[in-house]
Amino acid sequence: MSLSIRNQLPATVVSVTPGEVMATVQGRLSGGQMVTAAVTMSAVKELGIGEGSEVTALAKATEVALATGEVSGLSIRNRFPGTVTRLTLGAAMATVVIAIGGDQEITAAITQDATAELGLTEGSRVTALIKSTEVSLATA
């Protein structure tokens, strides 16, 4: 299956914390970073997700926020420091590709105004931020 979702990050599940309706699933990316997804318990069961499972963490580029300074005091679980490798400017929006380690990249779609205010250029250091509720999981 092909998807239009730009961010497709292969991960190995290291923990599943079940709740009554939702679970948090933590996975380790190939570069060693952790990704957290908040998904329904029914999805965990239907997909057979457990410790050691191979999953793909999915996040739309429009759900990725960027920070150029220190990130603290936020509830956002997924924080990926990296370097801007490509910046494509459009009339209203920009696409920002960030290398986050290993061979993995995260793409963010942000407004042209945000790009200018953050002073983004290729080579800029940023942190990509994704709420765990905006991360979906897929299995093979």
Side-chain angles (χ1 to χ4, degrees):
M1 172 187 302
S2 296
L3 299 172
S4 64
I5 296 174
R6 295 298 87 204
N7 298 304
Q8 301 180 29
L9 305 169
T12 302
V13 174
V14 296
S15 70
V16 177
T17 305
E20 288 189 33
V21 177
M22 299 288 290
T24 56
V25 178
Q26 286 197 312
R28 185 175 316 282
L29 305 179
S30 64
Q33 310 90 330
M34 298 298 289
V35 61
T36 301
V39 297
T40 64
M41 280 301 301
S42 60
V44 169
K45 291 174 185 170
E46 289 170 17
L47 295 173
I49 296 173
E51 192 173 319
S53 296
E54 297 298 322
V55 297
T56 300
L58 306 165
K60 292 172 56 175
T62 53
E63 298 300 335
V64 179
L66 300 178
T68 56
E70 181 181 331
V71 177
S72 63
L74 293 176
S75 63
I76 297 173
R77 299 293 84 201
N78 297 301
R79 304 172 187 191
F80 302 102
T83 304
V84 174
T85 57
R86 285 192 314 275
L87 180 62
T88 306
L89 303 174
M93 298 291 290
T95 301
V96 184
V97 178
I98 302 112
I100 62 166
D103 59 351
Q104 294 183 312
E105 297 178 324
I106 290 180
T107 300
I110 63 174
T111 65
Q112 185 70 274
D113 290 343
T115 304
E117 288 174 18
L118 293 172
L120 296 182
T121 61
E122 289 183 6
S124 294
R125 296 287 300 161
V126 297
T127 300
L129 305 162
I130 311 168
K131 291 180 65 172
S132 60
T133 53
E134 298 302 330
V135 176
S136 296
L137 298 176
T139 57

